[in-house]
Amino acid sequence: MALTSQSNIPGGLAITGNNWTIPGTIVGGYNASDNTGSVVPPILTNPSATIYWIQATQNLQVQYSYCMVNGKCSPTAAATFNVDGPNPIVVTTTTGTWQVFNGRLSYGDPTPSATHGILFTLTPPPGYTGSYQWVQLINNQIEHVTLQDGSSYACGPASGLDTQYPYSTSNPTGDSPSVGLASNGTYEQESIDATMYLMWDPSPGSQSSIPVPLGHVDWTPTGTANYDSANGWSIDNNNSSPPSGSTLNFQNSTTYPTWAVNVVNNEGDCQ
Amino acid sequence: MRGLNVRFASWPFMLVALAALLAQAPPSSPYSLTISARTGAAVGTAVTVQITLENISPGDVTFVKSRAELSYDVAVVTALGAPVMLTPYGRSLHGQPTTPPIMIRDSPHEVTLKPHQKIVDTIALNKIYQLAPGDYIVQVHKRQLNNAVPNVASNPLKLTIASN
């Protein structure tokens, strides 16, 4: 939202300070691409201010005044806003199982209509237009690998934006993260710490709106596979989690996803 | 992928050219594949090709979106059809052993394309293949996790790597 002040100051005087008081949770913008994502802080020192409320709140009174070179300040002008947004947000999750899939240690089956590692389903509240999108961050992803020659390696950590921005605009959306099983390996364990954010843009494509965060789901699966010459790779269910059918909580939040790198460019080596 | 390379390696170049005529989208395919690159690249710089997948069917088509090099099989041969050496990353991508291991992670998820909607991916060829100065033929196939969508090959692309 662009806020603009209009001042009629006496001749010979100049404004030395603009004072905006804006309640509620605001940002100055949100820049996101496949490589970086950051929140722009609001600038409240100019006669005009562009801000975005990111949380639905009623009766927000915005105030403005200015001060002049003679040290005197104007009376305070005020306007009241009611900020609306989708509510309630209901996101449910279901989880699958670790498996060996196409030579990979995979959390779930990525095939369309199969049971994915995790499925996020939004039940959107009625009455709101706009669009929803998912954005996923890999907070930490590491693998421990043992090769047939007995050497062991820790691989990673990988972190950053997962795949692309946004991750998906489909509802539901799923993820079946996987890692290749070393053809000369005997043991492999993958641990993932990820956060899936849900965002909503009231007017996508418009300069007057930005995506706002609605909340997120933290998920931390770990999968373990062992190799033997008789059976090939198989899942060690005792050292894999979470159990199939687990549910994870969606946390309402105004925290934006931010990143400085895409995970494919920040994977780390095996050492 | 290894099979593709062997096949291309054993074919004379004319057959590769013939494949160009048959490439892209057979009539039954719901999508087309097109690859393009900057004309010419120098040794030591990233050699990238852009892959455009377009839904050419009248209805929605659902794909599994993966890391680009896991979404597509990329075959690179010399202009004479000879195979090109893989990098360590390329060997790991093709399921060959490497020491230390190289982890190739993925986060596949479904993407539904509406008619004429496109997905554009970029693959760094020199991450997969050891590219010396010379002429190469590049072609990609879409990897499928099931048989619901037929396999489609891209147009063959001639690529020249210049010496510095």
Side-chain angles (χ1 to χ4, degrees):
Chain A
M1 166 172 287
L3 301 170
T4 303
S5 65
Q6 290 185 330
S7 308
N8 294 315
I9 60 173
L13 294 177
I15 293 177
T16 57
N18 297 279
N19 309 306
W20 291 95
T21 301
I22 304 178
T25 308
I26 62 170
V27 298
Y30 181 59
N31 296 325
S33 70
D34 288 352
N35 296 311
T36 60
S38 61
V39 175
V40 178
I43 298 173
L44 304 177
T45 55
N46 296 323
S48 298
T50 297
I51 60 100
Y52 301 89
W53 277 288
I54 62 172
Q55 188 172 35
T57 313
Q58 300 294 298
N59 198 31
L60 293 167
Q61 188 178 70
V62 173
Q63 296 180 339
Y64 172 78
S65 65
Y66 62 87
C67 297
M68 297 173 286
V69 291
N70 62 0
K72 293 185 177 178
C73 296
S74 71
T76 297
T80 300
F81 296 86
N82 293 323
V83 179
D84 197 8
N87 184 54
I89 297 299
V90 178
V91 173
T92 57
T93 60
T94 56
T95 58
T97 57
W98 284 94
Q99 53 194 275
V100 175
F101 184 86
N102 282 353
R104 302 178 66 80
L105 174 56
S106 178
Y107 186 42
D109 181 343
T111 307
S113 303
T115 301
H116 303 316
I118 188 167
L119 190 69
F120 304 89
T121 304
L122 164 69
T123 303
Y128 293 92
T129 57
S131 67
Y132 295 90
Q133 66 182 35
W134 307 93
V135 177
Q136 184 154 268
L137 298 186
I138 303 297
N139 306 311
N140 192 35
Q141 183 172 1
I142 59 173
E143 294 83 22
H144 289 93
V145 182
T146 302
L147 300 183
Q148 291 167 1
D149 63 9
S151 59
S152 294
Y153 298 87
C155 307
S159 63
L161 177 73
D162 188 0
T163 311
Q164 62 189 15
Y165 173 83
Y167 178 85
S168 174
T169 55
S170 299
N171 182 41
T173 194
D175 192 7
S176 299
S178 66
V179 65
L181 287 162
S183 59
N184 53 340
T186 59
Y187 167 89
E188 198 161 313
Q189 182 177 69
E190 174 165 48
S191 300
I192 301 171
D193 179 343
T195 304
M196 180 68 88
Y197 292 82
L198 176 65
M199 306 180 80
W200 176 69
D201 191 331
S203 184
S206 165
Q207 294 284 342
S208 63
S209 76
I210 61 172
V212 297
L214 299 174
H216 58 265
V217 176
D218 297 319
W219 56 294
T220 56
T222 294
T224 307
N226 294 309
Y227 178 87
D228 68 67
S229 56
N231 301 307
W233 285 100
S234 61
I235 297 297
D236 177 356
N237 287 311
N238 291 328
N239 290 294
S240 299
S241 63
S244 176
S246 299
T247 58
L248 301 166
N249 291 329
F250 176 80
Q251 301 171 38
N252 292 286
S253 170
T254 56
T255 300
Y256 269 95
T258 61
W259 59 96
V261 66
N262 191 299
V263 70
V264 299
N265 298 319
N266 188 39
E267 299 195 283
D269 295 325
C270 294
Q271 296 177 340
Chain B
M1 188 67 176
R2 273 175 289 178
L4 284 175
N5 286 338
V6 171
R7 186 177 65 185
F8 276 111
S10 62
W11 283 9
F13 176 72
M14 287 302 291
L15 285 184
V16 175
L18 178 61
L21 300 174
L22 304 173
Q24 301 195 62
S28 59
S29 172
Y31 65 92
S32 66
L33 275 184
T34 307
I35 59 173
S36 60
R38 288 182 309 169
T39 53
V43 170
T45 62
V47 182
T48 59
V49 293
Q50 208 169 52
I51 304 168
T52 303
L53 185 153
E54 179 179 1
N55 176 8
I56 56 173
S57 78
D60 291 358
V61 178
T62 297
F63 297 92
V64 176
K65 169 78 174 160
S66 284
R67 174 189 287 247
E69 55 266 39
L70 294 174
S71 289
Y72 301 97
D73 285 321
V74 184
V76 179
V77 295
T78 68
L80 297 176
V84 179
M85 294 277 287
L86 294 166
T87 63
Y89 182 88
R91 292 204 303 273
S92 181
L93 184 65
H94 288 69
Q96 299 175 18
T98 60
T99 303
I102 295 173
M103 296 290 100
I104 300 180
R105 305 177 181 92
D106 194 21
S107 183
H109 58 283
E110 293 178 27
V111 173
T112 298
L113 295 185
K114 298 192 176 303
H116 301 297
Q117 196 173 359
K118 300 174 181 176
I119 299 176
V120 179
D121 280 299
T122 300
I123 289 183
L125 295 181
N126 55 324
K127 189 174 180 180
I128 303 171
Y129 289 98
Q130 299 180 31
L131 299 175
D135 293 333
Y136 298 91
I137 303 293
V138 183
Q139 191 170 32
V140 305
H141 292 71
K142 181 81 176 82
R143 283 190 180 188
Q144 301 297 343
L145 293 177
N146 57 16
N147 295 321
V149 180
N151 280 312
V152 172
S154 76
N155 54 301
L157 177 71
K158 183 182 177 185
L159 193 67
T160 299
I161 308 294
S163 56
N164 285 323

